[in-house]
Amino acid sequence: MQTTAPTLSSFNDFLAAARAQPDAQRLLFVFGVAELPPTHSPGQAIRFREGRGGALSPVMCVDKAIGELADFPALVAESRSTGQPWDVVFAAALAAPAGREPSEPEVEQALRSMIGAVHRGAVERFLAFDAEGRSLLLS
Protein backbone atom coordinates (compact mmCIF):
# COMPACT_ATOMS: atom_id res chain seq x y z
CA MET A 1 0.00 0.00 0.00
CA GLN A 2 1.35 3.41 -0.96
CA THR A 3 0.63 6.40 1.24
CA THR A 4 1.09 10.05 0.47
CA ALA A 5 1.53 13.01 2.73
CA PRO A 6 -1.57 15.15 3.18
CA THR A 7 -1.75 18.21 0.98
CA LEU A 8 -1.79 21.50 2.83
CA SER A 9 -3.43 23.87 0.39
CA SER A 10 -4.77 26.47 2.80
CA PHE A 11 -3.85 28.15 6.04
CA ASN A 12 -6.68 26.29 7.75
CA ASP A 13 -5.17 22.98 6.53
CA PHE A 14 -1.85 24.06 8.07
CA LEU A 15 -3.48 24.89 11.42
CA ALA A 16 -5.48 21.64 11.43
CA ALA A 17 -2.36 19.56 10.66
CA ALA A 18 -0.38 21.28 13.42
CA ARG A 19 -3.21 20.77 15.92
CA ALA A 20 -3.43 17.08 15.01
CA GLN A 21 0.23 16.36 15.81
CA PRO A 22 0.93 14.31 18.93
CA ASP A 23 3.90 16.49 19.95
CA ALA A 24 3.61 20.11 21.03
CA GLN A 25 4.02 22.49 18.09
CA ARG A 26 5.21 26.05 17.73
CA LEU A 27 4.01 27.84 14.60
CA LEU A 28 6.75 29.85 12.87
CA PHE A 29 6.12 32.72 10.46
CA VAL A 30 8.52 34.80 8.38
CA PHE A 31 7.01 37.73 6.52
CA GLY A 32 8.64 38.89 3.30
CA VAL A 33 8.38 41.78 0.92
CA ALA A 34 8.97 41.57 -2.83
CA GLU A 35 11.82 43.76 -4.01
CA LEU A 36 13.79 44.36 -7.16
CA PRO A 37 17.36 43.14 -6.58
CA PRO A 38 19.96 45.94 -6.56
CA THR A 39 21.86 44.31 -9.44
CA HIS A 40 18.79 43.72 -11.62
CA SER A 41 18.74 43.54 -15.38
CA PRO A 42 16.37 45.58 -17.55
CA GLY A 43 14.35 42.39 -18.15
CA GLN A 44 14.07 41.75 -14.43
CA ALA A 45 12.83 45.32 -13.92
CA ILE A 46 10.13 44.83 -16.55
CA ARG A 47 8.98 41.53 -15.04
CA PHE A 48 8.95 43.07 -11.57
CA ARG A 49 6.79 45.99 -12.74
CA GLU A 50 4.41 43.42 -14.26
CA GLY A 51 4.12 41.71 -10.87
CA ARG A 52 6.41 38.80 -11.73
CA GLY A 53 9.88 38.09 -10.44
CA GLY A 54 11.93 40.02 -7.97
CA ALA A 55 13.41 38.83 -4.72
CA LEU A 56 11.78 38.25 -1.37
CA SER A 57 13.38 39.90 1.63
CA PRO A 58 12.34 38.94 5.16
CA VAL A 59 11.02 41.90 7.13
CA MET A 60 9.71 40.33 10.35
CA CYS A 61 9.06 37.02 12.04
CA VAL A 62 6.99 35.65 14.87
CA ASP A 63 6.28 32.36 16.60
CA LYS A 64 2.95 31.33 18.06
CA ALA A 65 1.66 28.51 20.19
CA ILE A 66 -1.20 26.70 18.48
CA GLY A 67 -3.73 28.17 20.92
CA GLU A 68 -2.53 31.72 20.26
CA LEU A 69 -3.72 31.81 16.66
CA ALA A 70 -7.34 31.30 15.63
CA ASP A 71 -7.02 31.80 11.88
CA PHE A 72 -5.31 33.67 9.05
CA PRO A 73 -7.22 36.96 9.55
CA ALA A 74 -5.94 37.04 13.14
CA LEU A 75 -2.34 36.64 11.92
CA VAL A 76 -2.85 39.38 9.32
CA ALA A 77 -4.41 41.76 11.84
CA GLU A 78 -1.52 41.28 14.27
CA SER A 79 1.08 41.71 11.52
CA ARG A 80 -0.59 44.84 10.17
CA SER A 81 -0.57 46.40 13.64
CA THR A 82 3.24 46.57 13.37
CA GLY A 83 3.00 48.96 10.42
CA GLN A 84 5.44 46.81 8.43
CA PRO A 85 4.10 45.99 4.95
CA TRP A 86 4.57 42.47 3.59
CA ASP A 87 3.67 40.49 0.49
CA VAL A 88 4.25 36.86 1.50
CA VAL A 89 4.23 34.96 4.77
CA PHE A 90 6.15 31.70 5.08
CA ALA A 91 4.84 29.20 7.60
CA ALA A 92 6.32 26.17 9.31
CA ALA A 93 5.76 24.21 12.50
CA LEU A 94 8.40 23.22 15.00
CA ALA A 95 7.82 20.17 17.20
CA ALA A 96 9.65 19.14 20.33
CA PRO A 97 9.67 15.49 21.32
CA ALA A 98 8.68 13.99 24.65
CA GLY A 99 5.57 16.10 25.10
CA ARG A 100 7.38 19.34 25.83
CA GLU A 101 7.10 22.69 24.11
CA PRO A 102 10.01 23.71 21.89
CA SER A 103 12.42 25.82 23.95
CA GLU A 104 13.03 29.49 23.23
CA PRO A 105 16.53 28.81 21.86
CA GLU A 106 15.11 26.08 19.58
CA VAL A 107 12.45 28.48 18.30
CA GLU A 108 14.96 31.29 17.76
CA GLN A 109 17.30 28.97 15.86
CA ALA A 110 14.44 27.71 13.67
CA LEU A 111 13.35 31.28 12.88
CA ARG A 112 16.95 32.27 12.03
CA SER A 113 17.13 29.26 9.74
CA MET A 114 13.87 30.25 8.02
CA ILE A 115 15.09 33.84 7.57
CA GLY A 116 18.33 32.58 6.04
CA ALA A 117 16.39 30.29 3.70
CA VAL A 118 14.21 33.21 2.55
CA HIS A 119 17.34 35.29 1.88
CA ARG A 120 18.73 32.45 -0.24
CA GLY A 121 15.42 31.81 -2.01
CA ALA A 122 15.35 28.27 -0.60
CA VAL A 123 11.70 28.38 0.43
CA GLU A 124 10.40 25.14 -1.06
CA ARG A 125 10.09 23.47 2.36
CA PHE A 126 7.79 26.17 3.74
CA LEU A 127 4.17 26.92 3.08
CA ALA A 128 3.70 30.35 1.55
CA PHE A 129 0.62 32.56 1.59
CA ASP A 130 -0.16 35.95 0.13
CA ALA A 131 -1.78 38.70 2.20
CA GLU A 132 -5.23 37.36 1.29
CA GLY A 133 -4.40 33.90 2.60
CA ARG A 134 -4.06 32.27 -0.80
CA SER A 135 -1.52 29.49 -0.98
CA LEU A 136 1.46 30.32 -3.20
CA LEU A 137 3.81 28.09 -5.14
CA LEU A 138 7.07 29.98 -5.46
CA SER A 139 9.79 29.08 -7.92
Side-chain angles (χ1 to χ4, degrees), residues 3 7 31 33 36 42 116:
T3 61
T7 302
F31 297 82
V33 65
L36 190 58

Side-chain angles (χ1 to χ4, degrees), residues 8-12 14 29-34 51 56 60 71-77 79-80 84-91 126-138:
L8 302 178
S9 60
S10 72
F11 194 81
N12 286 340
F14 169 64
F29 302 100
V30 173
F31 297 82
V33 65
L56 289 168
M60 64 181 164
D71 54 21
F72 191 75
L75 181 66
V76 170
S79 71
R80 297 296 186 214
Q84 174 64 57
W86 57 273
D87 300 307
V88 176
V89 59
F90 295 98
F126 308 124
L127 295 173
F129 302 95
D130 70 9
E132 303 302 315
R134 292 180 294 252
S135 182
L136 301 172
L137 181 59
L138 301 174

Side-chain angles (χ1 to χ4, degrees), residues 11-105:
F11 194 81
N12 286 340
D13 290 346
F14 169 64
L15 288 179
R19 288 180 179 129
Q21 297 304 307
D23 294 322
Q25 303 281 309
R26 233 20 226 184
L27 305 178
L28 309 176
F29 302 100
V30 173
F31 297 82
V33 65
E35 298 179 328
L36 190 58
T39 58
H40 62 275
S41 69
Q44 288 174 312
I46 291 168
R47 286 190 299 281
F48 185 77
R49 283 193 300 273
E50 292 172 346
R52 301 178 295 127
L56 289 168
S57 295
V59 293
M60 64 181 164
C61 63
V62 68
D63 68 286
K64 296 282 182 189
I66 299 240
E68 292 178 313
L69 188 60
D71 54 21
F72 191 75
L75 181 66
V76 170
E78 183 177 333
S79 71
R80 297 296 186 214
S81 72
T82 68
Q84 174 64 57
W86 57 273
D87 300 307
V88 176
V89 59
F90 295 98
L94 177 65
R100 67 172 177 82
E101 288 279 325
S103 68
E104 191 165 321

